[in-house]
Amino acid sequence: MRDRIEAYVNELFRNAPDNPQTRELKEEILGNTLDKYDEQLSSGKDEASAYQNAITGIGDVDELIKEYAGDSGEVAEETPLAIEEAEPEESEKPKPATQKIVTLIMWCLIFVIYLVVSFQTGAWKFTWVTFLIGFALKFVIDGIFELINSKQ
């Protein structure tokens, strides 16, 4: 069955360009598939089930192969193997330090107010609303900082 797995992977890469990147990719997929096959066998699966599970785990390699080949079928030398970091979206951009400090101070104050009011009144089942007010204030603070940053 190991030979059958190797033949299957070779068939997947039959039309792939012959270059170091695709050879490395092929060897990695073959090694991972053989490891999965061995794991399946050691867990008690029969050879046919282990083969099927290992092969199914490979998935579609066409997109990976296309990454290493240009329109002419030649590999672009500049193609990095590592995944490049994407530019964070607007909502994921880091907050300025001032905004973080203001938000932290606000949450500390909210917590202290919650504890003081709860101990003074004993109305623990109602004072949790303080945290809802804190969330509303957080949105107000974020909006203020967004306005300030957009004007700069």
Side-chain angles (χ1 to χ4, degrees):
M1 282 291 186
R2 293 178 71 81
D3 293 336
R4 195 168 158 200
I5 291 171
E6 188 170 347
Y8 181 84
V9 172
N10 285 336
E11 182 62 26
L12 289 175
F13 283 83
R14 181 174 42 106
N15 295 326
D18 186 25
N19 60 55
Q21 291 93 350
T22 55
R23 284 192 296 268
E24 183 180 332
L25 178 64
K26 178 181 169 183
E27 290 302 316
E28 184 177 342
I29 289 174
L30 178 60
N32 290 343
T33 305
L34 290 172
D35 288 346
K36 185 170 182 177
Y37 173 75
D38 291 338
E39 288 174 14
Q40 295 284 318
L41 287 178
S42 66
S43 70
K45 299 268 186 189
D46 62 287
E47 286 188 356
S49 296
Y51 169 81
Q52 191 60 42
N53 288 341
I55 294 300
T56 304
I58 294 174
D60 185 20
V61 297
D62 291 338
E63 289 301 317
L64 289 172
I65 292 171
K66 286 178 186 175
E67 285 182 29
Y68 296 112
D71 294 332
S72 63
E74 294 295 319
V75 172
E77 292 300 320
E78 297 79 29
T79 304
L81 290 176
I83 299 173
E84 295 180 19
E85 274 191 39
E87 186 69 27
E89 292 183 23
E90 191 65 33
S91 62
E92 297 174 358
K93 289 198 177 177
K95 295 179 180 177
T98 309
Q99 184 177 357
K100 288 180 182 179
I101 292 170
V102 170
T103 303
L104 178 65
I105 291 170
M106 182 215 54
W107 280 116
C108 290
L109 288 173
I110 293 290
F111 186 69
V112 168
I113 291 169
Y114 166 74
L115 288 178
V116 168
V117 171
S118 296
F119 278 115
Q120 291 291 327
T121 65
W124 293 89
K125 60 183 175 183
F126 300 113
T127 55
W128 62 269
V129 174
T130 310
F131 293 107
L132 294 179
I133 295 168
F135 280 112
L137 284 174
K138 181 193 177 304
F139 287 116
V140 170
I141 290 171
D142 289 347
I144 291 169
F145 275 96
E146 193 170 317
L147 281 173
I148 292 169
N149 290 335
S150 67
K151 290 181 180 181
Q152 293 176 351

